[in-house]
């Protein structure tokens, strides 16, 4: 999440598997593949930078469940804070994030991430 | 906390001991016993569902102190977020939560939980 | 952070090394030395108490990097919540905190802490 908020697209993309997917409520379809994820993130980071909007993503209250097939299922809460340059910090979103993690080269990577927003039900 | 927010009353109740107690500032007396805890939570969950209010409880900044008698004293901060259907997310409460945990059947369960609210002093 | 919010100045000061430093955006220079840190914190705690302002500092999203020289570099996010007596809780600040930790007497202590605020860029 620090990589995401810093606009470090490639490093953030490397936390997903090459075929990783990311589903968010504002997109009609999940985004598939690290290249597409990185491209999506670059666009978003450029828009936020142009708007002077510093986002901070917090994950917490992790429910971590190793699965028999070696993957790890994580369901956690997510908060997104937003601060415009010179402005007051603001709670932007509260979300739930469900990840399927796999081990690759000794690291846990995201094979699929699915986010729901509490304001969109 | 995920069980609480999901309205999973029995599963949430199982995180307390059978004689567990819960003290909150809005009740004149602590609630004692898992059955009473579950009943209280069901009522609250039904009210929140009727109001279209999705709460999210975050615990953090844990101070964990194992005691000589085998119990574990935990003092942590708590945040409660509230989102009405179609509305903006809102910081609802900041609290402090003090738990006495005991081990039962290989799990840590809450024997007593006491919550204070920063807005009520 | 619980010590800070409780106004426990000496105990909070003991989480720094004797020559520890603390840099915040609202001070022209970092504060150096445990005695000066404790004195600064006492002043702030007295002002907040006089204003009836209960602050809550949350650290999260820790990026922990042990260094070859035995120190530990931590970059984390920080939230500050504020509640006036009888008032609504409020998100006061979102920050980034960078610590250099060292081991002393079997404990990790802060040798330097540097905080940036998202609203001041």
């Amino acid at each position: 999440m620090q990589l995401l908020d810093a606009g470090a697209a490639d490093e953030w993309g490397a936390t997903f598997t090459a075929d990783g997917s990311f589903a968010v409520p504002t997109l009609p379809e999940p985004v598939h593949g690290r290249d597409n994820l990185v491209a999506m993130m670059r666009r978003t980071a450029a828009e936020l930078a142009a708007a002077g909007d510093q986002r901070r993503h917090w994950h917490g209250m992790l429910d971590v469940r190793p699965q028999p097939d070696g993957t790890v299922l994580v369901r956690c809460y997510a908060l997104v804070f937003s601060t415009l340059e010179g402005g007051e910090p603001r709670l932007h979103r509260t979300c739930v994030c469900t990840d399927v993690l796999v081990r690759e080269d000794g690291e846990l990577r995201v094979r699929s991430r699915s986010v729901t927003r509490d304001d969109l039900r």
Side-chain angles (χ1 to χ4, degrees), chain A:
Chain A
M1 293 301 122
Q2 289 204 17
L3 297 171
L4 181 66
D5 296 331
D10 287 320
E11 294 85 346
W12 177 77
T15 67
F16 286 81
T17 61
D19 66 347
S21 71
F22 190 12
V24 290
T26 44
L27 293 175
E29 305 258 314
V31 175
H32 283 282
R34 194 183 281 158
D35 292 351
N36 293 323
L37 289 167
V38 168
M40 172 186 71
M41 197 203 116
R42 274 195 213 289
R43 282 194 303 273
T44 305
E47 289 168 10
L48 292 171
D53 188 347
Q54 178 63 64
R55 296 281 169 88
R56 299 290 177 200
H57 287 76
W58 284 64
H59 278 194
M61 307 309 288
L62 278 73
D63 180 19
V64 179
R65 299 181 183 250
Q67 301 296 302
D69 65 359
T71 62
V72 181
L73 184 62
V74 182
R75 187 180 191 271
C76 72
Y77 288 174
L79 302 172
V80 189
F81 298 96
S82 162
T83 307
L84 296 178
E85 213 159 339
E88 293 291 305
R90 195 173 58 82
L91 173 65
H92 181 60
R93 301 260 184 263
T94 70
C95 303
V96 175
C97 178
T98 305
D99 282 351
V100 177
L101 306 180
V102 297
R103 286 183 202 281
E104 278 187 351
D105 308 326
E107 285 186 28
L108 283 170
R109 295 209 175 111
V110 180
R111 193 167 73 191
S112 74
R113 170 164 293 166
S114 177
V115 175
T116 58
R117 278 168 45 183
D118 289 340
D119 57 322
L120 300 177
R121 274 173 253 169

